[in-house]
Amino acid sequence: VAGGSGSRMGGDLPKQFLLINGLPVLMHTINRFANYDPAMEIVLVLPESQIVYWKDLCEKNHFLVPHLVVRGGDTRFHSVNNGINAVLECDLIAIHDGVRPLVSRDTIERCFVSAAESGTAIPVLPVNESLRKGKINHSVSVDRSQYFQVQTPQVFNYNLIKNAYHQLWIPEFTDDASVVEKAGSIIQMVLGNRENIKITHPEDLLIAEALLKNI
Amino acid sequence: VAGGSGSRMGGDLPKQFLLINGLPVLMHTINRFANYDPAMEIVLVLPESQIVYWKDLCEKNHFLVPHLVVRGGDTRFHSVNNGINAVLECDLIAIHDGVRPLVSRDTIERCFVSAAESGTAIPVLPVNESLRKGKINHSVSVDRSQYFQVQTPQVFNYNLIKNAYHQLWIPEFTDDASVVEKAGSIIQMVLGNRENIKITHPEDLLIAEALLKNI
């Protein structure tokens, strides 16, 4: 799922199209999954206005990984729902942020293995810094050891995620786990990888280039 | 304050001595403050066993920024307390993680300006990823917009921090703000900078080198 319109990057180009070592972020991301399992069915959800640009980009970069392109919706929830509806019946669906090009093979595997057993799996990391809760002018320390930062891919049993996305959208749906949880399932957490950052700010591109040399 | 013994880096060298662009992390960190205000009094708190090594390192690197070296204690709390006790009476004390070499001039300034007004200031960032709370096998989504990740320098009025450190240590003291808060003060939050990462894992060195090229 790549919904970014680029506003937070300070430039005009949506962050999923920015270059890391000369290749658009989104191609790195798709390659991660295609390399993990070449038989995996890949569905890319993109804002409608970006689909022609993407197809041009694929031609220019000779990007040959087979994938279906589906248009996004008004929110991430609606975009993911469009993606799910484009998937043929299968065992597991993995939903991944297009702007997380550094997900490791091990993270992908841990998620699929755990979701095959329990129906759900999301990659998380312990929180590395002190945390405070509240508002900017009134906050309190909280015990960071009770918190986990959530990454993607978030992997679910096909019927379970399909049913969860029949719910009406509420603003509390910040990721797919929150949608599935609201529908009554327990979310299984597995270990993510620290390199699996979300490209959100300009400096994240520099970080990603440095990390790519290492993994 | 540099208390790391290196266990989490997978190597033998404590992380404060690892090299970024050829210079030990701790020298980058000290330079940030010395460049901000050459008249600032700098106190370095180090484990006793590392003091001779540090002094050698300063000679080898021709590191000439004046600073006082104080031995650390059993916990971060006790180390900070030793540092505070070594400071002559002044207006404000800034307590900084030795392994945050990428604090920006603007972050340092925001902290000092705000602490001069209100007595306390810590740099924070909004949380960038979904958060969950609980244990690894049972957790729930929380609203990340209510949370802030905390950086350093944490800057306080001299008497306020001195008094706060007269408290007995409790495990909930994870940073200086939590100590000052427990003593009854309100903590003022200001914006940190995203590059101001804590060097905790081996890949953080690569990230730091990439970011240093940019700031």
Side-chain angles (χ1 to χ4, degrees):
Chain A
V1 182
S5 64
S7 60
R8 266 200 289 186
M9 295 296 293
D12 286 322
L13 202 60
K15 54 204 169 183
Q16 56 267 26
F17 300 135
L18 296 174
L19 303 182
I20 298 177
N21 294 344
L23 195 72
V25 166
L26 204 41
M27 295 184 187
H28 284 281
T29 306
I30 291 174
N31 280 337
R32 293 272 157 183
F33 287 87
N35 290 339
Y36 172 72
D37 177 2
M40 192 183 293
E41 183 189 359
I42 294 175
V43 177
L44 169 61
V45 186
L46 264 188
E48 190 158 19
S49 61
Q50 297 173 10
I51 292 179
V52 170
Y53 181 83
W54 170 251
K55 293 197 166 168
D56 280 357
L57 216 50
C58 287
E59 267 189 37
K60 278 179 200 148
N61 285 278
H62 309 288
F63 186 71
L64 298 174
V65 176
H67 63 281
L68 184 68
V69 180
V70 169
R71 68 175 173 74
D74 286 344
T75 68
R76 188 179 188 286
F77 175 88
H78 298 97
S79 293
V80 170
N81 192 39
N82 291 355
I84 291 170
N85 287 332
V87 176
L88 299 178
E89 182 151 0
C90 61
D91 289 333
L92 296 171
I93 294 188
I95 303 162
H96 189 68
D97 292 333
V99 292
R100 289 191 192 265
L102 299 182
V103 59
S104 71
R105 189 183 178 83
D106 287 351
T107 294
I108 297 174
E109 182 150 280
R110 279 190 290 270
C111 291
F112 275 108
V113 167
S114 173
E117 283 170 8
S118 64
T120 67
I122 64 172
V124 302
L125 287 182
V127 172
N128 200 21
E129 293 179 307
S130 292
L131 266 189
R132 296 182 70 82
K133 185 182 179 186
K135 295 179 178 155
I136 193 84
N137 56 355
H138 186 71
S139 64
V140 291
S141 284
V142 298
D143 175 8
R144 75 172 179 211
S145 71
Q146 291 182 29
Y147 290 84
F148 301 88
Q149 38 184 122
V150 179
Q151 305 181 334
T152 68
Q154 304 194 347
V155 184
F156 306 98
N157 169 277
Y158 174 85
N159 289 313
L160 191 150
I161 186 76
K162 191 116 180 158
N163 287 334
Y165 268 86
H166 286 148
Q167 298 173 98
L168 288 181
W169 177 80
I170 54 171
E172 287 71 27
F173 289 158
T174 55
D175 62 356
D176 308 296
S178 58
V179 178
V180 168
E181 183 169 66
K182 180 82 178 169
S185 293
I186 300 286
I187 303 299
Q188 193 62 41
M189 300 198 292
V190 301
L191 187 66
N193 62 294
R194 280 181 47 86
E195 300 86 356
N196 187 17
I197 60 168
K198 200 165 148 187
I199 307 289
T200 314
H201 297 270
E203 62 271 27
D204 296 334
L205 285 174
L206 293 172
I207 294 176
E209 290 197 349
L211 291 173
L212 257 183
K213 285 173 202 153
N214 202 39
I215 56 174
Chain B
V1 183
S5 63
S7 58
R8 265 200 290 187
M9 295 296 291
D12 286 320
L13 203 60
K15 53 205 171 185
Q16 56 267 26
F17 300 135
L18 295 174
L19 302 183
I20 298 177
N21 294 344
L23 195 71
V25 166
L26 203 41
M27 294 184 187
H28 285 280
T29 306
I30 292 174
N31 280 338
R32 293 271 156 183
F33 288 86
N35 290 340
Y36 172 73
D37 178 1
M40 192 182 294
E41 183 189 0
I42 294 175
V43 176
L44 168 62
V45 186
L46 265 188
E48 191 159 19
S49 60
Q50 297 172 10
I51 292 179
V52 170
Y53 180 84
W54 170 252
K55 294 198 164 163
D56 280 355
L57 217 50
C58 287
E59 267 189 38
K60 277 179 201 147
N61 285 277
H62 308 288
F63 186 72
L64 299 174
V65 176
H67 63 279
L68 184 67
V69 180
V70 170
R71 67 173 174 76
D74 287 342
T75 69
R76 188 178 188 287
F77 175 90
H78 297 98
S79 293
V80 170
N81 192 40
N82 290 355
I84 292 170
N85 288 333
V87 176
L88 299 178
E89 182 150 2
C90 60
D91 289 333
L92 296 170
I93 294 188
I95 302 162
H96 188 67
D97 292 333
V99 291
R100 288 193 192 263
L102 300 182
V103 60
S104 72
R105 189 183 178 83
D106 287 351
T107 294
I108 297 173
E109 183 149 280
R110 281 190 289 271
C111 290
F112 275 109
V113 167
S114 174
E117 284 170 7
S118 64
T120 67
I122 65 172
V124 302
L125 288 182
V127 172
N128 200 21
E129 294 179 307
S130 292
L131 265 189
R132 297 182 70 82
K133 185 182 177 186
K135 294 182 179 152
I136 192 82
N137 56 355
H138 186 71
S139 64
V140 292
S141 284
V142 298
D143 175 8
R144 75 170 181 214
S145 70
Q146 292 183 29
Y147 290 84
F148 301 88
Q149 38 184 124
V150 179
Q151 305 181 334
T152 67
Q154 303 194 346
V155 184
F156 306 98
N157 169 277
Y158 174 85
N159 289 313
L160 191 149
I161 187 74
K162 192 116 179 155
N163 287 333
Y165 268 86
H166 286 148
Q167 297 173 99
L168 288 181
W169 177 81
I170 53 171
E172 286 71 27
F173 289 158
T174 56
D175 63 355
D176 309 296
S178 59
V179 177
V180 168
E181 184 169 66
K182 179 82 179 173
S185 293
I186 300 286
I187 304 299
Q188 192 62 42
M189 300 198 291
V190 300
L191 188 66
N193 61 295
R194 281 182 45 86
E195 300 85 356
N196 188 16
I197 60 169
K198 201 165 147 188
I199 307 288
T200 313
H201 296 270
E203 61 271 28
D204 296 335
L205 285 174
L206 293 172
I207 294 175
E209 289 197 351
L211 291 172
L212 257 184
K213 285 174 200 151
N214 202 40
I215 57 175

